[in-house]
Amino acid sequence: MQKQLIKVHPSDNVAVALVNLKAADVILFENQEITVISDVKAKHKIALTKFEIGDKIFMYGVLVGKASAIIKKGGVLTTENVKHQSAKVTQKTDSIPWEAPNVEKWKDKTFMGYHREDGQVGTANVWLFFPLVFCENRNIELLKDIFEKELLTQKSNNHRDLLRSLVNNRTANTEVIEEKTTNVFENIDVKFITHPGGCGGIRQDSESLARLLAGYVKNPNVAGATVLSLGCQNLQIDIFNNALKAISPDNKKPVLMFEQQQMGTVDEMLSAIIKNSFEAIKEANTIVREPAPLSKLKVGLECGGSDGFSGISANPTLGYTSDMLVAMGGTAILSEFPELCGVEQELVNRCVTEKTATKFLSLMKAFEKSVVDAGSGFDMNPSPGNIKDGLITDAMKSAGAAKKGGTSPVVDVLDYGEYVTKSGLNLLCTPGNDVESTTAMVGSGANIVLFTTGLGTPTGNPITPVIKVSSNSELAQKMNDIIDVDTGPIIRGEKTIEEMAETMLTYIIDVASGTTKSKASILNQDDFIPWKRGVSL
């Protein structure tokens, strides 16, 4: 029989409902009887003791809120009776010893990847087109249409067929219209990025965008790039080149640069781009997969559309998977700083040096101040969907989100746009926005992204496979076209977190080797949103 409640940490004074509970249900839990006061939906929290106004509420072993109204024992926690509160954070106080997981059975495993001259190994082989400024977005879109129609396999599209049937006043799917199919290159994908930046904002925004785009070129999943510039924009070619040189002084990847104001008509420029890029893509296609140790994996850890189960199933699974990879010399990246609110002290104590801890606190404080100065606060982070499914304070959401980072030491802290240089767990300063955060982690070197969700979100990335992990089986069944791995068996007590992590690592190896495509990759979900920190001028 499935358990009805779970207490995540021994010091918690609330429990999570694993199933829907009815008013007047009597539950025997930890040698005490708890009478449910009102109906409680699965994923929501109930009080294990009576709370007076102002009493502190603990979950995951940390402070996640305070009672703003009296809550009876067995009562459900809501936004009406609980307010956000998080623990005060100080400088590094303790060093937390780390007991690495046993990875003996995995240490000799490999994945089939694309080896780069700088020692990195890609899980994909992508030729990337992108603009330095939004003025070139149309030309990027034109090139995308041209290259995709000639290089990529085109299949009949059911939705296009539906629209065609409506236009022609006939029944959908009565006529299967096959489009031209080609498969010119076997070992290279061609991807395209557009964005709204590069000019019009403060100069720091353009410099930040340059670092991000340089990170995409350096990412081991990229074989080379075609870059379009208008000519007069803030993000000048030399700014981009300097950003690339800063993180990759000996860059050997081909980067083809085209500036419209120096080339004449659109037709002349596009013709030159197509000819030169095609030759470079042909050369990149000669690169083949070869065995690589799992230490070459750089895994981004992301969550979006989280629910009340995310912090007890999907996120801890990622955390244990992260710990396994770190134990083998791999790299993990934990981002979304607004969703680390309330767990700062634990992360500070896990930092390997005082300098790293100081940088983390400095970035957190500066980020939070900028949010407050804008008239908001980290406490406003939970979305309506989060709240509806049991994440009612930012500290509660953050405590569960931080589980993605496992328990390993924090070896480095990176500001937005900085590139990973150390194996182990890295913290990266990004917003909590799913796509902005995923975009940033890939720009910092992630060659795989693990993305947990309880409500369902389709996020992907142009150059890095995004593996979608559901916190509950209902979502995995309902949205099976976007979910790769289901951690629902943890909720039902059928699998442990450790067992689920082994399933996850096996899937990662398959995706990294190209033997399995993530659902986001199959759907060509190529999301890319830079973080714009400044104002528009």
Side-chain angles (χ1 to χ4, degrees):
M1 181 178 176
Q2 182 178 348
K3 291 196 299 184
Q4 295 173 291
L5 296 174
I6 185 172
K7 188 165 77 170
V8 182
H9 189 275
S11 65
D12 292 352
N13 50 18
V14 297
V16 183
L18 296 176
V19 295
N20 293 333
L21 304 175
K22 293 289 186 182
D25 280 353
V26 178
I27 301 171
L28 182 62
F29 184 72
E30 293 190 339
N31 300 318
Q32 64 171 323
E33 285 190 349
I34 298 174
T35 301
V36 179
I37 303 299
S38 59
D39 290 352
V40 180
K41 291 183 178 180
K43 308 178 185 180
H44 286 259
K45 287 75 185 171
I46 69 169
L48 297 178
T49 185
K50 181 181 179 181
F51 291 103
E52 302 290 345
I53 295 175
D55 282 353
K56 295 179 178 180
I57 297 168
F58 291 89
M59 188 177 171
Y60 300 101
V62 299
L63 179 64
V64 297
K66 63 179 179 180
S68 57
I70 294 173
I71 308 173
K72 295 180 180 180
K73 180 180 177 180
V76 62
L77 276 62
T78 71
T79 54
E80 301 299 318
N81 58 27
V82 175
K83 298 299 180 187
H84 168 83
Q85 186 174 15
S86 59
K88 301 292 183 183
V89 61
T90 60
Q91 187 52 279
K92 186 174 171 65
T93 57
D94 282 314
S95 292
I96 301 177
W98 184 50
E99 185 176 344
N102 186 342
V103 292
E104 189 67 24
K105 64 181 281 188
W106 296 94
K107 67 177 185 178
D108 295 325
K109 299 280 188 183
T110 61
F111 71 98
M112 298 297 290
Y114 295 97
H115 292 248
R116 308 301 179 189
E117 291 191 36
D118 62 2
Q120 297 186 101
V121 180
T123 63
N125 195 35
V126 175
W127 187 272
L128 187 63
F129 287 75
F130 63 85
L132 294 183
V133 63
F134 57 82
C135 308
E136 292 298 320
N137 282 347
R138 176 181 176 272
N139 288 328
I140 291 289
E141 293 291 352
L142 287 171
L143 290 164
K144 180 180 180 182
D145 183 63
I146 293 165
F147 275 86
E148 287 188 348
K149 283 183 176 177
E150 294 304 317
L151 299 186
L152 306 181
T153 300
Q154 302 290 327
K155 297 180 180 178
S156 179
N157 184 295
N158 288 339
H159 297 107
R160 192 180 303 129
D161 185 53
L162 172 61
L163 178 58
R164 188 179 291 123
S165 70
L166 295 173
V167 171
N168 296 328
N169 194 27
R170 61 173 174 80
T171 303
N173 295 323
T174 57
E175 179 186 350
V176 178
I177 301 175
E178 291 292 340
E179 298 183 2
K180 177 183 177 184
T181 59
T182 60
N183 193 7
V184 176
F185 296 124
E186 183 179 352
N187 297 317
I188 188 81
D189 288 322
V190 182
K191 292 290 184 175
F192 303 81
I193 286 174
T194 58
H195 59 78
C199 204
I202 58 176
R203 297 302 169 91
Q204 291 91 326
D205 277 336
S206 292
E207 293 166 358
S208 175
L209 179 59
R211 289 191 293 271
L212 177 69
L213 293 172
Y216 270 65
V217 173
K218 183 176 175 64
N219 188 291
N221 292 349
V222 170
T226 297
V227 183
L228 274 62
S229 168
L230 178 59
C232 57
Q233 73 274 358
N234 284 348
L235 206 178
Q236 290 285 296
I237 289 175
D238 63 338
I239 294 176
F240 169 78
N241 286 336
N242 289 337
L244 181 58
K245 186 175 181 179
I247 60 171
S248 188
D250 299 317
N251 176 56
K252 297 293 194 303
K253 293 180 181 179
V255 179
L256 311 182
M257 199 75 66
F258 299 89
E259 189 159 271
Q260 185 171 2
Q261 289 173 349
Q262 299 295 321
M263 298 188 70
T265 67
V266 171
D267 179 67
E268 290 171 331
M269 182 176 73
L270 292 182
S271 295
I273 290 171
I274 291 168
K275 290 176 183 177
N276 290 307
S277 297
F278 182 73
E279 291 303 317
I281 292 168
K282 278 202 304 184
E283 181 63 28
N285 185 56
T286 63
I287 305 170
V288 296
R289 293 183 183 270
E290 297 178 21
L294 300 187
S295 60
K296 293 296 184 178
L297 290 174
K298 299 178 181 179
V299 178
L301 305 167
E302 181 65 37
C303 58
S306 299
D307 70 351
F309 284 165
S310 293
I312 58 179
S313 59
N315 291 345
T317 296
L318 262 61
Y320 198 83
T321 305
S322 167
D323 284 348
M324 292 171 71
L325 287 169
V326 168
M328 290 183 280
T331 302
I333 306 172
L334 181 65
S335 57
E336 299 181 292
F337 272 29
E339 297 182 12
L340 300 179
C341 176
V343 294
E344 296 101 325
Q345 191 64 60
E346 178 198 339
L347 292 170
V348 162
N349 292 342
R350 285 166 59 184
C351 288
V352 295
T353 66
E354 288 279 352
K355 182 179 179 181
T356 304
T358 299
K359 184 175 181 180
F360 171 58
L361 289 179
S362 176
L363 288 171
M364 280 289 287
K365 289 175 181 176
F367 195 164
E368 186 167 20
K369 182 179 183 301
S370 71
V371 174
V372 171
D373 289 346
S376 187
F378 281 176
D379 60 309
M380 300 298 291
N381 179 267
S383 70
N386 296 148
I387 294 168
K388 181 182 177 182
D389 269 45
L391 300 177
I392 60 174
T393 73
D394 182 56
M396 186 181 292
K397 180 180 178 181
S398 296
K403 294 298 178 184
K404 302 191 303 293
T407 59
S408 64
V410 176
V411 298
D412 206 359
V413 174
L414 308 172
D415 197 1
Y416 181 80
E418 292 183 330
Y419 202 86
V420 166
T421 59
K422 298 178 181 178
S423 59
L425 179 62
N426 291 253
L427 304 182
L428 173 64
C429 184
T430 76
N433 177 292
D434 311 345
V435 180
E436 286 179 326
S437 176
T438 300
T439 297
M441 288 192 292
V442 174
S444 290
N447 57 10
I448 285 278
V449 172
L450 306 180
F451 190 124
T452 70
T453 183
L455 304 176
T457 176
T459 301
N461 184 265
I463 68 170
T464 291
V466 177
I467 297 173
K468 214 64 60 58
V469 184
S470 69
S471 70
N472 62 88
S473 296
E474 290 77 10
L475 172 63
Q477 293 161 8
K478 179 182 178 183
M479 303 180 75
N480 57 53
D481 60 330
I482 68 168
I483 299 299
D484 297 284
V485 179
D486 173 25
T487 62
I490 294 174
I491 300 298
R492 297 191 297 276
E494 297 168 2
K495 281 191 175 184
T496 65
I497 289 169
E498 293 79 9
E499 289 170 339
M500 204 71 240
E502 295 210 345
T503 299
M504 179 72 66
L505 187 51
T506 299
Y507 193 83
I508 291 170
I509 293 171
D510 288 344
V511 172
S513 300
T515 56
T516 297
K517 291 190 74 171
S518 72
K519 299 290 182 65
S521 296
I522 292 171
L523 293 171
N524 289 313
Q525 187 80 33
D526 295 337
D527 299 309
F528 179 85
I529 302 180
W531 181 21
K532 187 175 183 296
R533 275 171 155 170
V535 297
S536 291
L537 297 176

